[in-house]
Amino acid sequence: MAQIGSDNPESTQGGAHHRHLEQARAQVIELLSRQALERDLLSHDTSPRHDVVTQLLARQQQARLAQRLGSFHPADIAFVLESLAPEAREIAWQLVKPAQRGAVLLEMGEAVLRTLLMDMAPESIAAAIRHLESDDIADLLEQLPGELAQDVIAHLDRDDQAEVRSVLSFPEGTVGAMMDLDFITVREDANLEAVQRLLRRRRRDLPADCNQIIVVDRANQLRGVMRFEQLLFNEPEMQIGEVMDASPHYFYTDDAAREALDAFEKYDLIEAPVLNLHRVVVGRLTVDAVVDEINEKAQADSLRQRGLSHEEDLFAPVASSARNRGPWLALNLFTAFIASRVIDAFEGIIVQLVALAALMPIVASIGGNTGNQTVALVIRGLALDQLGPSQLRQMFLKEFSVATLNGALWGTVLALATLGLYHDWALAGVIALAVLLNLWVAAGAGVAIPLTLHRFGRDPVMGSSVMLTAITDSMGFFIFLGLAALLLV
């Protein structure tokens, strides 16, 4: 029975977790602040025992902070470190237990991760990540310059070196770069009882997040997969070939990561085998790797929409942050200058009808909003490979029709508001027509800009918004002021 006023458990848990993270960060910051205050007080002590007292206090402070950090989950430690200024972050990082460092690095954002790794010696990095899976090590080393990454690999165990180099050999954005090299294979002529004995012997080193066994032939080529429930709920004397799924979803190492993401979402996959070009099983792709890739892609797209090419540390140096943002600010300044020249060309009509200055930003704004909605749909269609020639024509007609409907509706609303404010029928008609025409421009630009960028091999996410704003602003001003010059003077 539903309870009126009952809380949403997921929402409650999410809020509790957020409060936990905030408390963890506050506790670490408080400990660091207290240490700084105590050191400052001791600096004024001139007694003979000053050095001894200082050393004892420093050890106590480090022990307290290390104990507090040691009680956190690696993801929480990463969150705390990302929230600290560089000096405090370095102090806290040195107190993280060596056994936890690799897991903490895996949870960090790219900007902070790169900063920490670049300040560490190759042997220190190797010691921190040595106990991680080879694919996780490869993910971390991708953040380093090639020469430093090779120095770190040289300090790893020989088996890890070969596996890490194998993963790093696959281009970024492919399934091979995402796959997990730890998996279980069996032959299809084995019986279920033999597989159960195998799993019991390997119980301490079973792959993490494994829910199926890959079935191969003598050449290690894929024959099928068998889920654990099929192993448990069938008779022990049955052969694997009788119960396995002989037509599983699988990927090749050179498949695009985007295709794998779509397949996992479409078919609700948990994991899938990965094959090389000879159909030999070389790894598996898991849902946790897919989720990580989706999150990274979403964050990268969000940054690119705002003109940032990569993640930026909250406490990054001012010069590097300014350099990162500068090019898009320059482009924005150029487009704003063009819009200002359009306004200047109609200075005479604006002087005669001051109401135009108050109304023209509305025309530009509503066009930009419509265009951004169209851009988002086109980019999504490109990402999902849904825009063939026929689909493109249908989408353009649809967006043009939507722009016509919205232009007529909201142009009329704006015309009525203008009539109520200025009591001028001609001005009301001009702004209604200007809204309709600018929405047509916005719809056309919203389709054309991302398609053009995509056609020339550019990322449509990065730059579409700036270019669209330039067009809708400039054309909005030009259409509105041009109609006013033709019809009102």
Side-chain angles (χ1 to χ4, degrees), residues 141-171:
L141 294 185
E142 285 180 346
Q143 310 300 323
L144 299 177
E147 184 176 346
L148 178 56
Q150 292 303 319
D151 289 342
V152 174
I153 293 175
H155 287 84
L156 297 174
D157 298 334
R158 184 166 298 178
D159 291 341
D160 288 337
Q161 289 182 18
E163 291 185 351
V164 170
R165 287 194 172 101
S166 175
V167 175
L168 289 175
S169 66
F170 296 106

Side-chain angles (χ1 to χ4, degrees), residues 74-191:
D76 296 342
I77 297 177
F79 172 81
V80 170
L81 292 176
E82 290 174 344
S83 305
L84 298 176
E87 298 80 7
R89 181 188 298 157
E90 181 62 28
I91 294 173
W93 172 245
Q94 295 301 324
L95 298 177
V96 175
K97 294 178 181 178
Q100 284 186 304
R101 287 191 171 188
V104 173
L105 290 172
L106 283 178
E107 301 291 344
M108 265 181 202
E110 289 185 9
V112 176
L113 172 64
R114 195 178 300 109
T115 300
L116 284 179
L117 291 180
M118 293 298 291
D119 290 339
M120 297 172 64
E123 57 271 20
S124 299
I125 299 175
I129 65 179
R130 181 173 285 114
H131 64 283
L132 298 176
E133 299 293 339
S134 299
D135 53 316
D136 291 332
I137 295 176
D139 288 341
L140 293 176
L141 294 185
E142 285 180 346
Q143 310 300 323
L144 299 177
E147 184 176 346
L148 178 56
Q150 292 303 319
D151 289 342
V152 174
I153 293 175
H155 287 84
L156 297 174
D157 298 334
R158 184 166 298 178
D159 291 341
D160 288 337
Q161 289 182 18
E163 291 185 351
V164 170
R165 287 194 172 101
S166 175
V167 175
L168 289 175
S169 66
F170 296 106
E172 185 178 358
T174 63
V175 170
M178 297 170 55
M179 68 180 179
D180 186 349
L181 300 179
D182 195 9
F183 55 94
I184 304 172
T185 60
V186 295
R187 302 276 177 80
E188 61 182 327
D189 55 355
N191 60 39

Side-chain angles (χ1 to χ4, degrees), residues 398-429:
K398 174 202 166 187
E399 291 303 310
F400 190 81
S401 300
V402 171
T404 302
L405 181 61
N406 281 331
L409 173 61
W410 298 108
T412 301
V413 171
L414 186 55
L416 293 175
T418 302
L419 183 61
L421 289 172
Y422 300 103
H423 308 289
D424 189 331
W425 282 97
L427 179 59

Side-chain angles (χ1 to χ4, degrees), residues 24-312:
R25 177 172 59 184
Q27 290 167 358
V28 172
I29 292 176
E30 181 184 359
L31 285 173
L32 289 170
S33 300
R34 188 183 305 168
Q35 291 176 10
L37 177 60
E38 291 173 349
R39 286 196 300 269
D40 183 62
L41 292 175
L42 281 175
S43 65
H44 298 88
D45 184 8
T46 58
S47 64
R49 302 179 60 185
H50 170 263
D51 292 340
V52 176
V53 174
T54 301
Q55 291 178 2
L56 289 175
L57 180 60
R59 291 176 183 174
Q60 291 177 353
Q61 292 169 344
Q62 291 178 355
R64 287 200 300 268
L65 186 54
Q67 182 181 13
R68 193 71 192 97
L69 287 172
S71 66
F72 294 163
H73 186 277
D76 296 342
I77 297 177
F79 172 81
V80 170
L81 292 176
E82 290 174 344
S83 305
L84 298 176
E87 298 80 7
R89 181 188 298 157
E90 181 62 28
I91 294 173
W93 172 245
Q94 295 301 324
L95 298 177
V96 175
K97 294 178 181 178
Q100 284 186 304
R101 287 191 171 188
V104 173
L105 290 172
L106 283 178
E107 301 291 344
M108 265 181 202
E110 289 185 9
V112 176
L113 172 64
R114 195 178 300 109
T115 300
L116 284 179
L117 291 180
M118 293 298 291
D119 290 339
M120 297 172 64
E123 57 271 20
S124 299
I125 299 175
I129 65 179
R130 181 173 285 114
H131 64 283
L132 298 176
E133 299 293 339
S134 299
D135 53 316
D136 291 332
I137 295 176
D139 288 341
L140 293 176
L141 294 185
E142 285 180 346
Q143 310 300 323
L144 299 177
E147 184 176 346
L148 178 56
Q150 292 303 319
D151 289 342
V152 174
I153 293 175
H155 287 84
L156 297 174
D157 298 334
R158 184 166 298 178
D159 291 341
D160 288 337
Q161 289 182 18
E163 291 185 351
V164 170
R165 287 194 172 101
S166 175
V167 175
L168 289 175
S169 66
F170 296 106
E172 185 178 358
T174 63
V175 170
M178 297 170 55
M179 68 180 179
D180 186 349
L181 300 179
D182 195 9
F183 55 94
I184 304 172
T185 60
V186 295
R187 302 276 177 80
E188 61 182 327
D189 55 355
N191 60 39
L192 301 186
E193 185 179 7
V195 176
Q196 291 172 358
R197 289 198 301 268
L198 170 66
L199 294 180
R200 282 195 291 270
R201 287 196 302 268
R202 290 193 55 182
R203 63 183 182 275
R204 294 185 178 179
D205 63 341
L206 289 176
D209 304 321
C210 180
N211 81 324
Q212 67 182 23
I213 300 171
I214 301 174
V215 185
V216 297
D217 59 16
R218 294 185 180 276
N220 280 329
Q221 292 185 334
L222 180 67
R223 299 294 297 171
V225 298
M226 181 178 64
R227 297 186 303 276
F228 282 156
E229 58 262 31
Q230 293 172 315
L231 176 65
L232 293 174
F233 300 139
N234 286 289
E235 297 299 326
E237 62 273 11
M238 295 182 67
Q239 290 190 338
I240 292 175
E242 299 178 68
V243 300
M244 72 178 187
D245 178 4
S247 301
H249 292 282
Y250 60 87
F251 302 97
Y252 289 101
T253 54
D254 58 350
D255 286 343
R258 176 174 50 80
E259 296 178 5
L261 304 188
D262 295 342
F264 266 72
E265 180 182 4
K266 183 176 181 180
Y267 300 112
D268 295 328
L269 302 179
I270 302 299
E271 65 177 279
V274 179
L275 317 180
N276 64 16
L277 295 179
H278 304 289
R279 288 187 58 83
V280 174
V281 178
V282 293
R284 64 187 178 114
L285 189 59
T286 60
V287 69
D288 60 328
V290 169
V291 171
D292 289 343
E293 185 72 15
I294 291 173
N295 288 336
E296 290 177 9
K297 185 177 183 301
Q299 293 173 8
D301 288 348
S302 177
L303 289 172
R304 287 198 296 268
Q305 287 175 346
R306 290 155 179 82
L308 296 174
S309 58
H310 55 76
E311 185 178 345
E312 183 178 301

Side-chain angles (χ1 to χ4, degrees), residues 384-396:
L384 298 177
D385 286 331
Q386 295 176 337
L387 291 183
S390 61
Q391 291 86 357
L392 185 58
R393 284 193 296 271
Q394 292 175 4
M395 183 172 192
F396 180 79

